[in-house]
Amino acid sequence: MKLLCKYVVLLFLVSAQFSFAQKLTRKEKKILKTIEANNNEAIEFLKDVVNINSGTMNHDGVKEVGDVFGKAFEDIGFKSSWYDMSQVNRSGHLFAETYGKKGKKLLLIGHLDTVFEENSPFQEFKMVNDSIAHAPGGNDMKGGNVIILYALKALKENGLLNDAQIIAAFTGDEEASGKPISISRKHLVDAAKRSDIALGFETSTGFNYATVARRGSSGWKVEIKGKRAHSSGIFRDNVGAGAVFEMSRILNEFYNEVRGEEYLTFNPGILLGGTLMEFDSELSKGNVFGKTNVVAQKAVVEGGLRFISEEQKENARAKMREIVNNNLPQTSAEITFIDSYPAMGPTKGNHKLLDILNEVSIDLGQGEVEAYDPGRRGAADVSFVAQYVDCLDGLGTMGNGAHTPQETVNLNTIEALTKRTAILIYRLINQR
């Protein structure tokens, strides 16, 4: 059945592109032929960069992948720059740029790092069948980087990048961004301020979807102190409820009082409580000691918060603070928040970009493109630039199992998605 579905999809793409080809200009048809001629090379390039481990904390590996892409961009006339990020304990970022004043100024966003560190058993690009490959980071998101590169390569080979300003920005720490963000995302924000439009190439959710909004991400931490005493005295006025009961109260009230708004979610990811406790936030691990006959003295929980706007984030934080401050007897609690990814709201400008992409897709015979549900997408680098430019994301490769040892990339869709990207870029850089 899977094999049959694969050939049905391919037949649809081929026949649809033939049917709608008359809506493309002569130059656009030449772009498509170039992409077809370069497709096998693109897949081999993807295989090569996947086989270089670039887990976020493998700084040398991230730099090596950046060097490979940097040379490829220079080969098509871009100037590449590497920005070292050792001051935030990360490898760095690759930026490649061509300069001009024609049409819209574009920022194309990808990332070099993956979630698979050097000690991961999942390290190699391996074919599953003639269209699907297991590939660590192949879908999230080295495949998206390859789409950017080979779309621009096709435009360059047809002499269509003259006098265009395009910045390809590949961060080296998207999966675990360096802190503070003001340093690790400075170059990306600066590039956005010189651009009109940002296109993100995180994993595609299908030919008929693109991302006009993404939820933001914030960390939170609750630390609780109770009074250590023999358990026989718990609930007495001089002993109180203990740290674990206070933590239970707080989490239960979070669930009942904060939960419910559309697009707002929060998740307690790690919880410790007892008599003695050590917790390392950086490694997200700890040790705890306690006994059933001793009232717990300490407790800590760390979690994440997802939101669609700054207003929603701040409202949720206010509710959480109020709950944390209403303590059980003989306990105290403190909540802290750490900003990570801002939200990318569903603006009119983003929807206008979607309309342009939709027209491109229809002209290519790939069907209509709709806005994807932001509640089903995680945070991404495009969110850092959303306040400065119109944005569209989810333009990368198709596949499954991202962030797992079962991650796959669908090689048969790379050509079609590269065509869509190239025509979109071509039309945008020729807009006034």
Side-chain angles (χ1 to χ4, degrees):
M1 179 59 72
K2 289 183 179 179
L3 191 62
L4 177 61
C5 291
K6 178 190 74 175
Y7 285 116
V8 168
V9 170
L10 288 175
L11 181 62
F12 167 76
L13 289 175
V14 172
S15 61
Q17 286 174 11
F18 178 81
S19 300
F20 287 90
Q22 67 270 23
K23 295 188 177 182
L24 301 170
T25 67
R26 180 180 299 178
K27 289 182 179 179
E28 289 174 340
K29 292 176 184 178
K30 290 180 66 177
I31 295 169
L32 302 186
K33 289 182 179 179
T34 303
I35 291 170
E36 291 168 3
N38 291 340
N39 190 58
N40 288 337
E41 178 187 310
I43 291 174
E44 286 301 311
F45 189 98
L46 174 61
K47 179 179 179 180
D48 290 343
V49 292
V50 165
N51 284 335
I52 302 171
N53 178 277
S54 59
T56 306
M57 301 311 292
N58 178 8
H59 294 180
D60 291 339
V62 173
K63 177 65 163 58
E64 184 178 353
V65 174
D67 289 343
V68 172
F69 273 104
K71 182 180 184 306
F73 276 111
E74 289 176 355
D75 288 344
I76 61 171
F78 281 65
K79 177 186 177 181
S80 69
S81 302
W82 179 259
Y83 297 106
D84 180 81
M85 284 289 124
S86 57
Q87 60 183 316
V88 294
N89 192 29
R90 296 297 185 270
S91 179
H93 310 315
L94 171 70
F95 280 63
E97 184 168 358
T98 185
Y99 305 90
K101 299 179 180 179
K102 181 181 178 182
K104 299 296 184 183
K105 300 173 183 178
L106 304 186
L107 173 61
L108 312 178
I109 301 175
H111 65 83
L112 304 167
D113 63 318
T114 78
V115 299
F116 304 101
E117 298 292 346
E118 287 183 283
N119 61 355
S120 168
F122 188 37
Q123 295 286 349
E124 295 182 45
F125 183 105
K126 291 184 179 180
M127 296 299 299
V128 176
N129 52 46
D130 62 352
S131 64
I132 304 296
H134 277 128
N139 190 29
D140 185 15
M141 66 165 291
K142 292 177 180 178
N145 300 339
V146 170
I147 286 175
I148 293 173
L149 174 64
Y150 277 83
L152 295 173
K153 180 179 173 69
L155 293 170
K156 176 65 175 180
E157 291 180 358
N158 284 281
L160 300 174
L161 289 182
N162 298 332
D163 202 30
Q165 178 182 302
I166 300 176
I167 305 170
F170 292 179
T171 60
D173 62 343
E174 194 274 346
E175 301 294 0
S177 56
K179 302 295 187 297
I181 293 297
S182 59
I183 294 176
S184 67
R185 290 300 176 271
K186 180 182 185 302
H187 297 95
L188 186 63
V189 170
D190 288 347
K193 291 178 179 179
R194 296 191 291 115
S195 303
D196 300 313
I197 290 169
L199 303 177
F201 288 79
E202 286 281 2
T203 56
S204 172
T205 52
F207 279 101
N208 58 333
Y209 290 111
T211 302
V212 297
R214 302 190 79 120
R215 294 190 297 168
S217 174
S218 167
W220 54 272
K221 179 180 181 180
V222 178
E223 297 175 278
I224 295 174
K225 295 179 181 179
K227 187 172 182 180
R228 182 174 176 177
H230 194 286
S231 64
S232 63
I234 196 168
F235 308 141
R236 292 178 184 171
D237 291 343
N238 64 330
V239 175
V244 170
F245 266 125
E246 172 64 351
M247 180 64 78
S248 301
R249 177 198 68 81
I250 289 171
L251 293 179
N252 183 62
E253 290 191 29
F254 281 0
Y255 184 85
N256 289 324
E257 303 298 329
V258 186
R259 179 178 59 96
E261 286 187 33
E262 186 178 22
Y263 301 131
L264 178 69
T265 58
F266 49 92
N267 174 61
I270 185 168
L271 169 66
L272 294 92
T275 306
L276 302 174
M277 184 184 67
E278 295 177 351
F279 179 64
D280 188 327
S281 290
E282 183 72 20
L283 298 177
S284 195
K285 63 186 295 185
N287 297 305
V288 65
F289 169 80
K291 289 188 174 184
T292 58
N293 61 351
V294 180
V295 176
Q297 181 175 297
K298 295 182 179 180
V300 63
V301 61
E302 281 200 354
L305 178 70
R306 306 278 177 155
F307 48 90
I308 197 61
S309 68
E310 288 299 300
E311 180 182 11
Q312 188 179 58
K313 179 189 77 173
E314 291 302 329
N315 287 341
R317 286 182 173 184
K319 292 178 183 177
M320 294 169 82
R321 289 190 186 98
E322 183 178 356
I323 290 168
V324 167
N325 290 334
N326 187 25
N327 306 124
L328 292 177
Q330 300 294 340
T331 68
S332 63
E334 180 182 9
I335 187 167
T336 54
F337 296 96
I338 301 174
D339 283 322
S340 186
Y341 287 84
M344 167 184 160
T347 67
K348 290 182 179 179
N350 295 357
H351 278 281
K352 185 177 179 180
L353 278 177
L354 178 64
D355 291 340
I356 298 171
L357 177 67
N358 181 59
E359 184 175 314
V360 169
S361 184
I362 291 173
D363 289 349
L364 288 170
Q366 295 180 2
E368 294 185 355
V369 183
E370 301 176 358
Y372 193 68
D373 179 4
R376 300 175 65 185
R377 295 229 64 158
D381 277 337
V382 70
S383 298
F384 290 109
V385 305
Q387 64 177 301
Y388 305 105
V389 289
D390 297 331
C391 299
L392 200 60
D393 201 359
L395 304 178
T397 46
M398 293 178 63
N400 291 297
H403 288 206
T404 76
Q406 289 74 45
E407 181 173 354
T408 64
V409 58
N410 187 328
L411 304 177
N412 279 350
T413 62
I414 290 178
E415 180 181 304
L417 291 167
T418 305
K419 288 178 176 178
R420 179 186 285 181
T421 295
I423 302 302
L424 176 62
I425 291 173
Y426 173 71
R427 293 184 181 181
L428 289 174
I429 62 176
N430 284 281
Q431 272 192 1
R432 292 187 178 182

